[in-house]
Amino acid sequence: MNAPVSSPDAAVRPGSEDVPALVVRGLTVRFAGLTALDGVDFTVRPGTLHAIIGPNGAGKSTCFNVLSGVYRAAAGSVRFGDAELTALPPHRIAALGVARTFQNLALSPHLSTADNLMLGRYRLTRTGVVAAGLRLPRARREERRHRARVEEIAEFVGIAAHLATPAGLLPYGVRKRVELARALCVEPRLLLLDEPVAGMNGAERQEMAATIRQVRAALGLSVVLVEHDMGMVARLADEVTVLDFGRRIAGGAPEQVRRDPAVVRAYLGGEA
Ligand SMILES: Nc1ncnc2c1ncn2[C@@H]1O[C@H](COP(=O)(O)OP(=O)(O)OP(=O)(O)O)[C@@H](O)[C@H]1O
Ligand SMILES: [Mg+2]
Protein backbone atom coordinates (compact mmCIF):
# COMPACT_ATOMS: atom_id res chain seq x y z
CA MET A 1 0.00 0.00 0.00
CA ASN A 2 2.88 2.35 0.71
CA ALA A 3 4.67 1.39 -2.50
CA PRO A 4 4.75 4.87 -4.07
CA VAL A 5 6.85 6.20 -1.21
CA SER A 6 9.61 3.64 -1.57
CA SER A 7 9.46 2.89 -5.30
CA PRO A 8 12.60 3.90 -7.24
CA ASP A 9 11.37 7.20 -8.69
CA ALA A 10 9.07 8.18 -5.82
CA ALA A 11 11.68 10.71 -4.75
CA VAL A 12 10.79 12.99 -7.64
CA ARG A 13 7.02 12.54 -7.55
CA PRO A 14 4.42 14.26 -5.40
CA GLY A 15 2.86 12.36 -2.51
CA SER A 16 0.96 9.15 -2.76
CA GLU A 17 -2.67 9.07 -3.89
CA ASP A 18 -3.75 6.69 -1.14
CA VAL A 19 -4.20 8.97 1.82
CA PRO A 20 -5.76 7.06 4.72
CA ALA A 21 -7.87 8.54 7.49
CA LEU A 22 -6.22 9.54 10.76
CA VAL A 23 -8.29 8.13 13.60
CA VAL A 24 -7.49 9.36 17.12
CA ARG A 25 -9.31 7.61 19.98
CA GLY A 26 -9.06 8.10 23.73
CA LEU A 27 -5.70 9.81 23.42
CA THR A 28 -4.23 10.54 26.84
CA VAL A 29 -0.85 12.08 27.66
CA ARG A 30 0.45 12.76 31.15
CA PHE A 31 3.45 14.70 32.41
CA ALA A 32 4.29 14.18 36.09
CA GLY A 33 0.92 14.99 37.61
CA LEU A 34 -0.45 16.97 34.66
CA THR A 35 -2.89 15.42 32.19
CA ALA A 36 -2.07 17.32 28.99
CA LEU A 37 -4.48 15.25 26.85
CA ASP A 38 -7.42 13.46 28.38
CA GLY A 39 -9.24 10.87 26.27
CA VAL A 40 -9.25 12.94 23.07
CA ASP A 41 -11.14 11.65 19.99
CA PHE A 42 -11.10 13.04 16.46
CA THR A 43 -10.92 11.80 12.89
CA VAL A 44 -9.20 13.48 9.96
CA ARG A 45 -10.95 12.32 6.83
CA PRO A 46 -8.66 11.70 3.81
CA GLY A 47 -7.75 14.86 1.92
CA THR A 48 -9.44 17.26 4.34
CA LEU A 49 -8.05 20.11 6.41
CA HIS A 50 -8.76 19.60 10.10
CA ALA A 51 -8.06 22.44 12.53
CA ILE A 52 -7.24 21.94 16.20
CA ILE A 53 -7.94 25.03 18.24
CA GLY A 54 -8.06 25.92 21.92
CA PRO A 55 -6.65 28.32 24.50
CA ASN A 56 -2.96 28.32 25.50
CA GLY A 57 -1.94 25.11 27.20
CA ALA A 58 -4.98 23.22 25.85
CA GLY A 59 -2.77 20.39 24.55
CA LYS A 60 -2.57 21.22 20.83
CA SER A 61 1.20 20.94 20.44
CA THR A 62 1.21 17.91 22.72
CA CYS A 63 -1.21 16.28 20.32
CA PHE A 64 1.20 16.94 17.41
CA ASN A 65 4.07 15.60 19.48
CA VAL A 66 2.20 12.32 19.94
CA LEU A 67 1.17 12.13 16.28
CA SER A 68 4.81 12.54 15.22
CA GLY A 69 6.17 10.14 17.84
CA VAL A 70 8.02 12.70 19.97
CA TYR A 71 5.82 12.06 23.05
CA ARG A 72 4.45 8.71 24.19
CA ALA A 73 0.73 8.34 24.86
CA ALA A 74 -0.30 7.03 28.29
CA ALA A 75 -3.46 5.59 26.72
CA GLY A 76 -5.47 5.62 23.53
CA SER A 77 -4.69 5.03 19.89
CA VAL A 78 -3.75 6.93 16.74
CA ARG A 79 -4.39 4.95 13.59
CA PHE A 80 -3.15 6.12 10.19
CA GLY A 81 -4.48 3.53 7.77
CA ASP A 82 -3.22 0.18 9.01
CA ALA A 83 -0.49 1.69 11.20
CA GLU A 84 -0.77 2.34 14.94
CA LEU A 85 1.34 5.49 15.33
CA THR A 86 1.55 5.42 19.14
CA ALA A 87 3.69 2.28 18.84
CA LEU A 88 6.22 3.79 16.40
CA PRO A 89 9.35 5.94 16.76
CA PRO A 90 9.47 9.31 14.90
CA HIS A 91 11.45 8.07 11.88
CA ARG A 92 8.98 5.23 11.24
CA ILE A 93 6.08 7.69 11.43
CA ALA A 94 7.86 10.01 9.00
CA ALA A 95 8.40 7.05 6.68
CA LEU A 96 4.61 6.57 6.55
CA GLY A 97 4.34 10.08 5.11
CA VAL A 98 3.57 12.11 8.23
CA ALA A 99 5.42 15.46 8.21
CA ARG A 100 5.21 18.39 10.57
CA THR A 101 6.26 21.94 11.20
CA PHE A 102 7.04 23.27 14.67
CA GLN A 103 5.42 26.10 16.62
CA ASN A 104 8.91 27.50 17.15
CA LEU A 105 11.02 27.45 14.03
CA ALA A 106 13.29 24.43 13.82
CA LEU A 107 15.56 25.24 10.88
CA SER A 108 19.35 25.05 10.92
CA PRO A 109 20.24 28.76 10.80
CA HIS A 110 23.72 28.35 9.27
CA LEU A 111 22.62 26.05 6.46
CA SER A 112 21.24 27.49 3.24
CA THR A 113 17.52 27.17 2.54
CA ALA A 114 18.36 24.53 -0.07
CA ASP A 115 20.34 22.45 2.43
CA ASN A 116 17.59 22.76 5.04
CA LEU A 117 15.18 21.38 2.44
CA MET A 118 17.63 18.60 1.54
CA LEU A 119 17.55 17.52 5.20
CA GLY A 120 13.79 17.17 4.73
CA ARG A 121 14.48 14.66 1.93
CA TYR A 122 16.62 12.52 4.18
CA ARG A 123 14.07 9.75 4.67
CA LEU A 124 13.76 9.35 0.89
CA THR A 125 17.49 8.97 0.38
CA ARG A 126 18.44 5.42 -0.54
CA THR A 127 22.17 5.91 -0.83
CA GLY A 128 24.04 5.23 2.40
CA VAL A 129 26.03 7.87 4.20
CA VAL A 130 29.29 6.20 3.12
CA ALA A 131 28.42 6.25 -0.60
CA ALA A 132 27.30 9.86 -0.29
CA GLY A 133 30.49 10.79 1.58
CA LEU A 134 32.66 9.19 -1.12
CA ARG A 135 30.55 11.00 -3.74
CA LEU A 136 30.03 7.84 -5.75
CA PRO A 137 28.20 8.33 -9.10
CA ARG A 138 25.01 6.72 -7.79
CA ALA A 139 25.00 9.08 -4.82
CA ARG A 140 25.63 12.08 -7.06
CA ARG A 141 22.75 11.11 -9.36
CA GLU A 142 20.43 10.69 -6.43
CA GLU A 143 21.49 14.01 -4.95
CA ARG A 144 20.80 15.76 -8.28
CA ARG A 145 17.30 14.28 -8.35
CA HIS A 146 16.62 15.43 -4.82
CA ARG A 147 17.98 18.93 -5.53
CA ALA A 148 15.66 19.20 -8.55
CA ARG A 149 12.65 18.27 -6.45
CA VAL A 150 13.75 20.69 -3.70
CA GLU A 151 13.81 23.48 -6.31
CA GLU A 152 10.34 22.52 -7.52
CA ILE A 153 8.93 22.61 -3.99
CA ALA A 154 10.70 25.91 -3.25
CA GLU A 155 9.13 27.39 -6.38
CA PHE A 156 5.71 26.12 -5.34
CA VAL A 157 5.96 27.61 -1.86
CA GLY A 158 7.39 30.91 -3.15
CA ILE A 159 10.88 30.74 -1.68
CA ALA A 160 12.95 29.88 -4.77
CA ALA A 161 14.74 33.25 -4.60
CA HIS A 162 16.07 32.36 -1.14
CA LEU A 163 17.54 28.90 -1.86
CA ALA A 164 21.16 29.99 -1.45
CA THR A 165 20.58 32.15 1.64
CA PRO A 166 21.40 30.82 5.13
CA ALA A 167 18.03 30.22 6.82
CA GLY A 168 19.06 32.33 9.83
CA LEU A 169 19.35 35.44 7.65
CA LEU A 170 15.84 35.20 6.20
CA PRO A 171 12.95 37.37 7.42
CA TYR A 172 10.64 35.55 9.84
CA GLY A 173 7.75 35.20 7.38
CA VAL A 174 10.02 33.57 4.79
CA ARG A 175 11.44 31.18 7.40
CA LYS A 176 7.91 29.99 8.20
CA ARG A 177 7.53 29.20 4.49
CA VAL A 178 10.85 27.35 4.44
CA GLU A 179 9.51 25.21 7.31
CA LEU A 180 6.43 24.40 5.27
CA ALA A 181 8.61 23.59 2.25
CA ARG A 182 10.80 21.33 4.35
CA ALA A 183 7.78 19.38 5.55
CA LEU A 184 6.65 19.02 1.92
CA CYS A 185 10.08 17.66 1.00
CA VAL A 186 9.11 14.50 2.90
CA GLU A 187 6.35 14.01 0.23
CA PRO A 188 3.78 13.72 3.03
CA ARG A 189 0.34 12.17 2.96
CA LEU A 190 -0.46 13.88 6.26
CA LEU A 191 0.89 17.34 7.00
CA LEU A 192 0.85 18.68 10.57
CA LEU A 193 1.15 22.47 10.75
CA ASP A 194 1.64 23.99 14.22
CA GLU A 195 0.66 27.69 14.03
CA PRO A 196 2.03 28.29 10.52
CA VAL A 197 1.05 31.99 10.51
CA ALA A 198 1.93 32.87 14.12
CA GLY A 199 3.84 36.14 14.26
CA MET A 200 3.03 37.06 10.65
CA ASN A 201 1.40 40.30 9.56
CA GLY A 202 -2.01 40.40 7.84
CA ALA A 203 -0.73 40.22 4.26
CA GLU A 204 1.69 37.39 5.06
CA ARG A 205 -1.14 35.46 6.75
CA GLN A 206 -3.35 35.75 3.68
CA GLU A 207 -0.52 34.59 1.42
CA MET A 208 0.32 31.65 3.67
CA ALA A 209 -3.36 30.64 3.80
CA ALA A 210 -3.47 30.70 0.00
CA THR A 211 -0.31 28.57 -0.16
CA ILE A 212 -1.74 26.01 2.27
CA ARG A 213 -4.89 25.80 0.16
CA GLN A 214 -2.81 25.29 -3.00
CA VAL A 215 -0.64 22.65 -1.36
CA ARG A 216 -3.72 20.69 -0.39
CA ALA A 217 -5.33 20.99 -3.79
CA ALA A 218 -2.17 20.08 -5.69
CA LEU A 219 -0.96 17.22 -3.52
CA GLY A 220 -4.27 15.82 -2.26
CA LEU A 221 -2.92 15.27 1.22
CA SER A 222 -4.63 15.63 4.61
CA VAL A 223 -3.69 18.59 6.78
CA VAL A 224 -4.00 19.05 10.53
CA LEU A 225 -3.64 22.71 11.42
CA VAL A 226 -3.14 24.21 14.88
CA GLU A 227 -4.20 27.84 14.74
CA HIS A 228 -5.38 30.63 17.02
CA ASP A 229 -6.77 32.91 14.31
CA MET A 230 -10.45 31.92 14.01
CA GLY A 231 -10.84 33.82 10.76
CA MET A 232 -8.10 31.71 9.21
CA VAL A 233 -9.62 28.53 10.63
CA ALA A 234 -13.03 29.43 9.21
CA ARG A 235 -11.53 30.07 5.77
CA LEU A 236 -9.36 26.96 5.60
CA ALA A 237 -10.81 24.16 7.71
CA ASP A 238 -13.35 21.52 6.71
CA GLU A 239 -13.66 20.45 10.31
CA VAL A 240 -12.52 21.73 13.70
CA THR A 241 -11.70 20.02 17.00
CA VAL A 242 -11.64 22.25 20.07
CA LEU A 243 -9.45 21.36 23.06
CA ASP A 244 -9.50 22.94 26.51
CA PHE A 245 -7.35 21.70 29.41
CA GLY A 246 -6.60 18.54 27.43
CA ARG A 247 -10.23 17.66 26.75
CA ARG A 248 -12.16 17.78 23.49
CA ILE A 249 -14.97 20.23 24.28
CA ALA A 250 -16.46 20.63 20.78
CA GLY A 251 -16.07 19.59 17.17
CA GLY A 252 -17.66 20.05 13.77
CA ALA A 253 -17.83 22.58 10.94
CA PRO A 254 -16.09 25.92 11.67
CA GLU A 255 -19.28 27.98 11.82
CA GLN A 256 -21.00 25.52 14.12
CA VAL A 257 -17.97 25.36 16.44
CA ARG A 258 -17.63 29.13 16.60
CA ARG A 259 -21.16 29.44 18.03
CA ASP A 260 -20.82 26.51 20.45
CA PRO A 261 -21.40 27.80 24.02
CA ALA A 262 -18.61 25.58 25.43
CA VAL A 263 -16.15 27.13 22.96
CA VAL A 264 -17.27 30.68 23.74
CA ARG A 265 -16.86 29.91 27.46
CA ALA A 266 -13.38 28.44 27.00
CA TYR A 267 -12.18 31.45 25.03
CA LEU A 268 -13.67 33.98 27.42
CA GLY A 269 -12.21 32.20 30.43
CA GLY A 270 -15.53 31.04 31.87
CA GLU A 271 -17.14 34.48 31.78
CA ALA A 272 -19.78 33.69 29.14
N1 LIG B 1 7.42 18.17 27.79
C1 LIG B 1 6.54 18.63 28.70
N2 LIG B 1 6.74 18.44 30.02
C2 LIG B 1 5.84 18.88 30.94
N3 LIG B 1 4.70 19.52 30.63
C3 LIG B 1 4.46 19.74 29.32
C4 LIG B 1 5.35 19.31 28.28
N4 LIG B 1 4.83 19.67 27.07
C5 LIG B 1 3.67 20.28 27.34
N5 LIG B 1 3.44 20.32 28.68
C6 LIG B 1 2.26 20.90 29.34
O1 LIG B 1 1.12 20.33 28.75
C7 LIG B 1 0.08 21.31 28.61
C8 LIG B 1 -0.31 21.43 27.16
O2 LIG B 1 0.77 22.07 26.45
P1 LIG B 1 0.77 22.29 24.89
O3 LIG B 1 2.11 22.84 24.52
O4 LIG B 1 0.33 21.04 24.22
O5 LIG B 1 -0.36 23.40 24.72
P2 LIG B 1 -0.83 24.18 23.42
O6 LIG B 1 -2.29 23.95 23.30
O7 LIG B 1 0.04 23.86 22.27
O8 LIG B 1 -0.61 25.71 23.90
P3 LIG B 1 -0.10 27.01 23.06
O9 LIG B 1 -1.33 27.58 22.43
O10 LIG B 1 0.42 27.91 24.15
O11 LIG B 1 0.93 26.59 22.09
C9 LIG B 1 0.62 22.59 29.22
O12 LIG B 1 0.18 22.68 30.55
C10 LIG B 1 2.13 22.41 29.14
O13 LIG B 1 2.78 23.12 30.15
MG1 LIG C 1 1.32 24.92 21.11
Side-chain angles (χ1 to χ4, degrees):
M1 196 187 86
N2 293 328
V5 168
S6 54
S7 69
D9 55 353
V12 291
R13 250 194 284 130
S16 155
E17 303 304 322
D18 63 329
V19 178
L22 179 79
V23 182
V24 175
R25 290 292 175 268
L27 192 60
T28 301
V29 177
R30 294 194 191 95
F31 301 109
L34 174 89
T35 304
L37 287 178
D38 192 357
V40 168
D41 296 339
F42 65 90
T43 299
V44 180
R45 287 173 292 120
T48 63
L49 192 145
H50 193 110
I52 299 182
I53 66 169
N56 292 119
K60 306 179 297 294
S61 294
T62 298
C63 185
F64 271 21
N65 281 324
V66 177
L67 298 186
S68 54
V70 178
Y71 291 169
R72 281 269 153 260
S77 80
V78 178
R79 296 204 68 84
F80 186 54
D82 296 334
E84 173 56 53
L85 302 190
T86 56
L88 300 177
H91 70 276
R92 294 276 307 280
I93 294 175
L96 292 170
V98 178
R100 71 174 291 188
T101 64
F102 290 84
Q103 184 170 355
N104 302 307
L105 291 160
L107 298 170
S108 301
H110 303 296
L111 292 182
S112 68
T113 296
D115 285 343
N116 268 285
L117 298 187
M118 284 296 281
L119 286 180
R121 302 229 26 109
Y122 174 70
R123 82 165 177 93
L124 302 172
T125 307
R126 285 169 303 126
T127 316
V129 172
V130 173
L134 296 174
R135 303 200 56 80
L136 299 177
R138 178 164 49 94
R140 280 208 303 274
R141 267 199 309 278
E142 189 170 21
E143 166 150 351
R144 268 203 305 278
R145 269 217 327 270
H146 284 300
R147 292 247 171 229
R149 180 66 178 144
V150 156
E151 281 165 26
E152 239 169 62
I153 290 170
E155 192 76 49
F156 190 65
V157 176
I159 53 165
H162 306 289
L163 276 169
T165 310
L169 298 183
L170 295 171
Y172 178 81
V174 177
R175 274 185 280 155
K176 292 293 267 189
R177 283 177 172 270
V178 174
E179 270 242 311
L180 171 62
R182 186 173 62 178
L184 292 178
C185 282
V186 178
E187 308 293 354
R189 301 190 291 167
L190 174 66
L191 180 62
L192 310 174
L193 302 176
D194 199 348
E195 305 201 19
V197 303
M200 287 183 166
N201 65 38
E204 286 172 333
R205 281 168 183 264
Q206 297 301 328
E207 285 162 20
M208 189 64 147
T211 301
I212 292 169
R213 217 181 276 116
Q214 283 159 12
V215 161
R216 231 189 96 202
L219 303 180
L221 37 68
S222 302
V223 180
V224 185
L225 172 78
V226 166
E227 186 48 59
H228 280 288
D229 179 342
M230 269 309 283
M232 171 117 172
V233 167
R235 279 195 300 279
L236 282 179
D238 300 298
E239 212 168 315
V240 183
T241 292
V242 189
L243 300 180
D244 191 25
F245 292 113
R247 290 213 168 89
R248 177 187 180 280
I249 58 163
E255 280 318 308
Q256 176 193 342
V257 160
R258 221 209 289 238
R259 288 192 304 267
D260 192 306
V263 177
V264 175
R265 262 197 310 278
Y267 274 91
L268 297 181
E271 296 299 313

